[in-house]
Amino acid sequence: MRKLMSGNEAIAYGAYLSGVKVGSAYPGTPSTEVMDNFSRYPGVYAEWAPNEKVALDVGIGAAYAGSRAMVAMKHVGLNVAADALFYSSYTGLNGGLIIINADDPGMHSSQNEQDNRVYAKFAKVPMLEPADSEDAKTFVKVALELSETFDTPVILRTTTRISHSKSSVELEDSAAPASEKSTSPAYNRDPGKFVMVPANARRRHPVVEDRLAKLAAYAETAEINRIEMGKEQLGIIAGGIAYQYAREVFPDASFLKLGMVYPLPQELIRSFAAKVKVLLVVEELEPFIEEHIRLMGIPVKGKGVFPITGEFSPHLVRECAAKAGLINMEQDNSSTTVSQPELPVRPPMLCPGCGHRGVFHTLSKLDVLVLGDIGCYTLGAAPPLSAMHTCGCMGASIGVAHGVDKAGVSDRSVAIIGDSTFFHTGITPLINVLYNQGTTTTIVLDNRVTAMTGHQVNPGTGLTLQNKETREINISGLAKSIGYEMVDEVSPYDLDKLSSVIEKHINSSLPSLISVKHPCVLNVKEKHPAPVVDQDICVNCGTCLELGCSPLTQEEDHVSINPLLCNGCGLCVQVCPAEAILVNDDNNGKERR
């Protein structure tokens, strides 16, 4: 029996079938659904970690203890976890460890589009890359076997299209998951292997190099690397989703499909290149495979044909191939492009009723310099709010604000960070401000959930991934416990109080923290009756439109509110200078100001 699964669902299924007992991740599009799905299988342990470094350390610990473990993160998460990746490459493991790492070509939900195949070469660990959901399921098992055979963590790289696209997967319901068969692991105490002081690390480095040579030999005959001969005129080397696109555009060409993209099978590549007249590499982002082949002295085409930036599609591959003279568009019968109606423009903005809107509106009115962070609140940078002035990576806001403070600028400034991002990498810079006698005001937008990636729980919610009640970490209490003297909590919907609290903090010489606290209205499904506009009073000043709230629309001589979209948060009622927007009283049905 087969079932349609996304790549993320198939990875979780493959991990379950392969006996993975411990899973840890930090949510990040496009990899979030891996751990979410894995957590629902019986007999497994799965958790959301505060960040990717912690998640990988947890996976390493489980593998040290002899269990099979899986860690998942998006591409930039591996930057956070890089220290753990590199030391685990040296120490090796006892049980199998697979690291799911999802790249995001085209930056659908990311701040950059780095190609993490480079990390495999940098850390000297093998990397596999599935081309569909069946590959995704199967490669998990292959990766874990490689991990245990060669004593190394293994990265399984996906991209957005593999993570989210659905294709059929063979079900193996009759097979009992290995996790239910396994016995309790015993810890192997081997300090010479697992304590990376310089003397031990020097002994381990040659082991890593020897392992890499053995992995390269394995890659030559591995079934996941295969030649599919077609016409000899054109030979294509590709892996992952690029293989599917190339297959569609060049149906008659010969292919070397690479399931293992590091280390590369040099002799297999030479053999394939000798069988075709023109060698072409189709790969998204960096010329990772192309450069390796050029160093081997083999003529090859690649980035001279296809772009180094952005996400590929069959249409883009076909268009580039035609420009390079590799196909004739007029004679090409392989196109399956379906014309699609143009979608309406949907500018990025905060959701109706979002509490973050009131904070950014207030900061804009106070003309405060806002050093921002990664989360749905980053939309505060978009017009008409336009109230965030920097945003780099997870947890950067507080450190950047401290740097601006120490540079001595005259602007009043704050750091803005969400609750999940605060737990991710916001605590250490908060300590740094205090330790180094800074004056930064940190505003934590605490909406009680990791909202941007789909409402995952975090250490502030009091629940675990597998829905067990746990200790709730209180952000205000944490700040006070490390020595912050000025700490306040305020609702984002009380604009007058919010403004006065922010004024008090940014005019103080003390480092401080404001917790702006209210649950994400989409997560708790909070909704109130929509306000109404009294058209006789409305002076059409446009003040309410400065909130950037989609239910508010400009009519010819007044503003109207779409009651189907409106959440009834009441922010527009508070900002209207003419008092023309009236609250619908949900208790007695009467209108009131």
Side-chain angles (χ1 to χ4, degrees), residues 63 118 225 310 355 426 528 546 553:
V118 178
N225 294 330
H528 305 282
E546 294 174 1
T553 54

Side-chain angles (χ1 to χ4, degrees), residues 501-514:
V501 169
I502 292 174
E503 282 268 26
K504 180 183 75 172
H505 280 247
I506 60 178
N507 291 326
S508 167
S509 60
L510 292 173
S512 64
L513 181 139
I514 305 170

Side-chain angles (χ1 to χ4, degrees), residues 7-17 33-34 37-38 41 70:
N8 285 342
E9 291 169 335
I11 288 169
Y13 182 50
Y16 170 66
L17 292 176
E33 298 84 4
V34 172
N37 280 278
F38 178 71
Y41 286 104
M70 176 174 69

Side-chain angles (χ1 to χ4, degrees), residues 37-76:
N37 280 278
F38 178 71
S39 71
R40 300 168 192 168
Y41 286 104
V44 305
Y45 172 77
E47 66 175 28
W48 292 128
N51 66 35
E52 297 85 353
K53 166 70 165 58
V54 175
L56 186 48
D57 284 331
V58 169
I60 291 167
Y64 278 177
S67 288
R68 284 188 165 185
M70 176 174 69
V71 178
M73 62 194 73
K74 68 181 295 178
H75 64 298
V76 289

Side-chain angles (χ1 to χ4, degrees), residues 476-498:
S476 298
L478 187 150
K480 291 176 183 175
S481 73
I482 60 176
Y484 273 77
E485 298 174 12
M486 183 180 285
V487 177
D488 280 300
E489 289 190 1
V490 62
S491 164
Y493 298 104
D494 186 343
L495 294 185
D496 288 340
K497 185 175 181 182
L498 181 64

Side-chain angles (χ1 to χ4, degrees), residues 366-444:
L366 295 174
D367 192 27
V368 175
L369 176 67
V370 178
L371 298 316
D373 222 300
I374 301 286
C376 48
Y377 50 88
T378 310
L379 292 170
L385 292 167
S386 304
M388 183 180 289
H389 306 103
T390 67
C391 175
C393 68
M394 294 285 285
S397 59
I398 303 174
V400 170
H402 179 63
V404 168
D405 174 29
K406 290 299 181 183
V409 300
S410 58
D411 305 50
R412 300 187 301 176
S413 63
V414 298
I416 284 271
I417 188 169
D419 50 340
S420 184
T421 312
F422 179 79
F423 293 120
H424 181 279
T425 34
I427 297 173
T428 44
L430 193 76
I431 292 171
N432 184 57
V433 169
L434 197 64
Y435 170 60
N436 285 303
Q437 301 176 322
T439 61
T440 297
T441 292
T442 296
I443 299 178
V444 182

Side-chain angles (χ1 to χ4, degrees), residues 278-341:
V278 175
L279 187 63
L280 177 70
V281 173
V282 183
E283 57 186 334
E284 288 180 316
L285 301 180
E286 298 298 317
F288 184 78
I289 299 172
E290 179 189 348
E291 286 183 351
H292 192 99
I293 294 173
R294 288 192 187 282
L295 288 172
M296 293 165 61
I298 299 174
V300 62
K301 295 182 178 181
K303 289 303 169 187
V305 177
F306 304 107
I308 198 170
T309 61
E311 185 182 34
F312 283 11
S313 68
H315 175 75
L316 182 142
V317 172
R318 181 174 289 108
E319 191 174 68
C320 292
K323 286 181 181 176
L326 295 170
I327 61 170
N328 185 329
M329 289 285 271
E330 294 180 357
Q331 299 175 3
D332 178 36
N333 297 319
S334 64
S335 175
T336 57
T337 302
V338 177
S339 61
Q340 296 178 341

